């Protein structure tokens, strides 16, 4: 069974930093690209980052580019999101999601999702 | 960037009725379109990928169609558990934006 468990959320002041983690199990983590998607309270979904299986391809949404860094540790089946210079508008539930893959190619589509971790940016 | 417009914003239907949800792209995304279902307090769930392929475990009452700029998600007979918010998402190019969502509520 595919399982994704996010952690690391919490309350942080504007300008602060936070590191989210996503522990993966139930599938060959090193074979799949991974994604971070967030959802502000009462709002829709926003795709914020994609990382390929070997970290060779990384994308960020404009809203987080230069402030957030995605990384992964295939040896430990873990995905990370380092968030710096946090703003009020970064307040959201952050989900990690395994990509949909077909014929050896993975896409920025969330085939499986974790339960999310809440990040609140407030003074 | 490719913008997705979902309509209607809210759909009020009774169990057993058919639901038809629309997603329109600002430019062609071929069939690089997915549909998700999200219930309150839960993570999204992938329903449809490649515009018309059901994801693992998705009931046959859900179907997707379309290509290019116009897409439809149909639920042929609503079950009580189908009342939720539905999002479309394109991955033709970065950023893989989502539509604004359609809430299917009980009439």
């Amino acid at each position: 069974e595919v399982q994704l468990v996010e952690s690391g959320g919490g309350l942080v002041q504007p300008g602060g930093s936070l590191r989210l983690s996503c522990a993966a199990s139930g599938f060959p983590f090193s074979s799949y690209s991974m994604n971070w998607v967030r959802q502000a309270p009462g709002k829709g979904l926003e795709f914020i980052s994609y990382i390929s299986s070997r970290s060779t391809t990384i994308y960020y949404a404009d809203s987080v580019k230069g402030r957030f860094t995605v990384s992964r540790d295939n040896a430990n089946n873990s995905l990370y999101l380092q968030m710096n210079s946090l703003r009020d508008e970064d307040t959201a539930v952050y989900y990690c999601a395994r990509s949909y893959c077909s014929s050896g190619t993975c896409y920025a589509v969330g085939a499986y999702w974790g339960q999310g971790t809440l990040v609140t940016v407030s003074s | 960037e490719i913008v997705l417009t979902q309509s209607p914003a809210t759909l009020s239907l009774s169990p057993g009725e058919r639901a038809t949800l629309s997603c329109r792209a600002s430019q062609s995304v071929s069939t690089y379109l997915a549909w998700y279902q999200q219930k309150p307090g839960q993570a999204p769930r992938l329903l449809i990928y490649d515009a018309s392929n059901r994801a693992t475990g998705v009931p046959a009452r859900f179907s997707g169609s379309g290509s290019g700029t116009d897409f439809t998600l149909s639920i042929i007979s609503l079950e009580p558990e189908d009342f939720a918010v539905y999002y479309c998402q394109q991955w033709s190019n970065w950023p893989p934006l989502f539509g604004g969502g359609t809430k299917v509520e009980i009439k």
Side-chain angles (χ1 to χ4, degrees):
Chain A
E1 179 191 5
V2 173
Q3 286 202 321
L4 298 166
V5 180
E6 302 93 337
S7 60
L11 176 64
V12 61
Q13 291 187 337
S17 298
L18 215 53
R19 189 194 196 205
L20 305 184
S21 300
C22 173
S25 62
F27 66 98
F29 181 74
S30 62
S31 297
Y32 286 84
S33 61
M34 297 293 294
N35 312 275
W36 286 101
V37 179
R38 70 182 180 183
Q39 186 170 36
K43 301 298 184 182
L45 300 166
E46 181 185 16
F47 226 104
I48 60 171
S49 186
Y50 166 96
I51 183 169
S52 63
S53 60
R54 298 183 181 182
S55 305
T56 52
T57 300
I58 290 175
Y59 294 118
Y60 297 100
D62 286 346
S63 58
V64 306
K65 197 176 297 181
R67 300 187 299 121
F68 290 11
T69 302
V70 63
S71 62
R72 63 189 295 162
D73 180 349
N74 285 345
N76 290 297
N77 295 338
S78 294
L79 175 72
Y80 304 101
L81 186 68
Q82 177 66 42
M83 304 186 296
N84 299 330
S85 303
L86 283 161
R87 306 167 179 167
D88 290 351
E89 56 265 33
D90 295 318
T91 294
V93 174
Y94 285 73
Y95 297 101
C96 70
R98 194 193 88 176
S99 286
Y100 152 65
C101 301
S102 175
S103 302
T105 301
C106 292
Y107 303 95
V109 175
Y112 294 91
W113 297 64
Q115 84 289 349
T117 187
L118 176 63
V119 172
T120 302
V121 184
S122 175
S123 54
Chain B
E1 63 185 28
I2 298 175
V3 176
L4 299 179
T5 302
Q6 292 189 239
S7 61
T10 303
L11 200 51
S12 299
L13 295 168
S14 301
E17 289 192 296
R18 179 186 184 102
T20 302
L21 287 66
S22 173
C23 177
R24 178 163 291 177
S26 59
Q27 62 190 79
S28 177
V29 299
S30 184
T31 57
Y32 298 118
L33 190 105
W35 289 94
Y36 300 86
Q37 176 193 67
Q38 188 178 32
K39 299 178 182 179
Q42 295 186 17
R45 171 196 181 194
L46 179 65
L47 295 177
I48 302 288
Y49 61 94
D50 289 343
S52 60
N53 294 311
R54 275 190 301 274
T56 303
V58 175
R61 64 181 180 272
F62 291 90
S63 65
S65 64
S67 65
T69 60
D70 289 297
F71 300 88
T72 300
L73 174 70
S74 298
I75 312 171
I76 56 172
S77 179
L78 283 164
E79 297 287 341
E81 62 267 29
D82 299 336
F83 292 92
V85 179
Y86 293 83
Y87 295 95
C88 59
Q89 181 227 332
Q90 67 82 22
W91 74 92
S92 175
N93 57 19
W94 191 266
L97 294 178
F98 292 88
T102 291
K103 181 179 182 180
V104 179
E105 65 175 23
I106 299 177
K107 187 175 181 180

